[in-house]
């Protein structure tokens, strides 16, 4: 192959963002860097002798179904970057950090939406990456099912959600990565200890992930691809 051989990747990234009040810092980082994300990731990948031929980004912004009603979950389609960066920016800018009710949020439901994404499996190599940011623990799946807008067909419990993650027909096993920026609580440590291809960077409850800066996030994503 030679030292100049480059692997071309098609990369899908789903950003699951806790959009409750304490998370305004990380949401501001995402908003401020949404327009630069494509160029910054491409530059970092080039240094690693990897070429991203196609990059798509999807947003899942989550709160609490019982406390926030219709504002509990914002789920977008995939945006092709850089062609649709303006549309991506518009959706990211629409996220407001408020609400949430009690400390646990519906992060498990956000993961479920992300896992069931319309992943791109084409190309020489594909990567499916989920990056989730939260500074709180998670409700059990179904906690908010009394809400009128709670999604139908949702995983009933963490065991079923784990089965989704392990199902090759849903998300390609050798290509999947989960980057978990979340507190070291039982709900999140269970996932990091049981789910394959998961990187867990613990955050402090209630502190809005201030220790996670943009370059750390970029580097973690690039190294997972």
């Amino acid at each position: 192959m030679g030292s100049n051989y480059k692997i071309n990747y098609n990369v899908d990234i789903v950003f699951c963002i806790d959009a409750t009040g304490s998370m305004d810092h990380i949401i501001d980082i995402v908003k401020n860097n949404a327009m630069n994300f494509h160029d910054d990731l491409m530059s970092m990948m080039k240094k690693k002798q990897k070429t991203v031929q196609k990059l798509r980004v999807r947003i899942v912004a989550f709160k609490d179904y019982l406390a926030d009603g219709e504002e509990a979950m914002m789920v977008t389609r995939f945006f092709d970057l850089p062609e649709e960066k303006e549309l991506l920016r518009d959706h990211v800018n629409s996220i407001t950090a408020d609400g949430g009710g009690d400390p646990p949020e519906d992060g498990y439901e956000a993961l479920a939406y992300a896992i069931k994404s319309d992943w791109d499996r084409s190309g020489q190599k594909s990567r499916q990456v989920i990056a989730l940011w939260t500074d709180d623990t998670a409700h059990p799946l179904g906690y908010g099912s009394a809400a009128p807008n709670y999604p139908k067909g949702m995983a009933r419990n963490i065991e079923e959600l784990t089965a989704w993650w392990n199902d090759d027909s849903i998300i390609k096993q050798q290509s999947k990565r989960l980057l978990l920026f979340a507190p070291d609580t039982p709900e999140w440590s269970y996932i990091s200890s049981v789910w394959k291809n998961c990187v867990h960077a613990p955050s402090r409850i209630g502190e809005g992930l201030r220790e996670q800066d943009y370059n750390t996030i970029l580097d973690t994503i690039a190294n997972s691809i």
Side-chain angles (χ1 to χ4, degrees):
M1 294 182 184
S3 59
N4 292 326
Y5 177 76
K6 293 183 179 180
I7 299 176
N8 296 321
Y9 289 85
N10 286 352
V11 178
D12 285 342
I13 300 177
V14 183
F15 292 128
C16 296
I17 306 165
D18 181 339
T20 56
S22 64
M23 288 291 294
D24 61 324
H25 177 71
I26 190 65
I27 289 174
D28 285 343
I29 289 176
V30 174
K31 289 180 179 181
N32 290 336
N33 291 286
M35 298 302 292
N36 299 323
F37 181 78
H38 172 268
D39 292 342
D40 291 344
L41 181 62
M42 292 298 178
S43 176
M44 188 168 290
M45 294 295 285
K46 184 178 180 180
K47 294 177 182 177
K48 297 177 181 294
Q49 295 294 299
K50 297 176 181 179
T51 302
V52 177
Q53 287 187 319
K54 185 177 181 182
L55 174 64
R56 303 192 306 165
V57 170
R58 187 185 191 200
I59 303 293
V60 179
F62 64 93
K63 298 183 182 180
D64 184 315
Y65 276 102
L66 289 182
D68 299 299
E70 295 296 328
E71 303 297 321
M73 195 78 60
M74 183 188 84
V75 184
T76 76
R77 64 173 175 85
F78 276 112
F79 296 101
D80 294 304
L81 296 183
E83 296 84 358
E84 296 185 305
K85 63 181 180 180
E86 297 292 340
L87 287 173
L88 174 63
R89 183 187 66 178
D90 290 344
H91 280 80
V92 170
N93 283 342
S94 73
I95 301 172
T96 56
D98 54 28
D102 56 354
E105 314 302 350
D106 288 336
Y108 279 175
E109 281 80 358
L111 271 183
Y113 271 113
I115 292 171
K116 287 292 188 79
S117 294
D118 181 20
W119 302 107
D120 182 3
R121 295 172 177 239
S122 65
Q124 182 183 11
K125 291 279 188 178
S126 64
R127 286 290 182 268
Q128 292 92 39
V129 180
I130 299 172
L132 182 144
W133 293 277
T134 182
D135 66 344
D136 265 319
T137 186
H139 284 133
L141 281 155
Y143 178 86
S145 59
N149 60 319
Y150 191 82
K152 299 183 184 301
M154 179 55 63
R156 292 165 293 181
N157 49 51
I158 189 59
E159 290 77 18
E160 185 172 0
L161 188 64
T162 300
W164 287 9
W165 178 253
N166 291 330
D167 188 342
D168 188 67
S169 68
I170 297 175
I171 183 167
K172 198 172 180 181
Q173 295 305 293
Q174 65 268 32
S175 302
K176 67 184 179 184
R177 301 290 187 274
L178 173 60
L179 311 177
L180 201 57
F181 299 94
D184 190 15
T185 62
E187 293 78 10
W188 297 120
S189 59
Y190 171 85
I191 288 179
S192 61
S193 63
V194 173
W195 290 22
K196 297 178 180 178
N197 299 332
C198 176
V199 176
H200 187 185
S203 62
R204 296 183 180 90
I205 291 178
E207 292 194 6
L209 292 179
R210 286 189 293 268
E211 74 274 16
Q212 295 295 344
D213 64 18
Y214 178 61
N215 289 330
T216 300
I217 293 167
L218 267 178
D219 189 59
T220 303
I221 291 175
N223 286 331
S224 73
I225 294 172

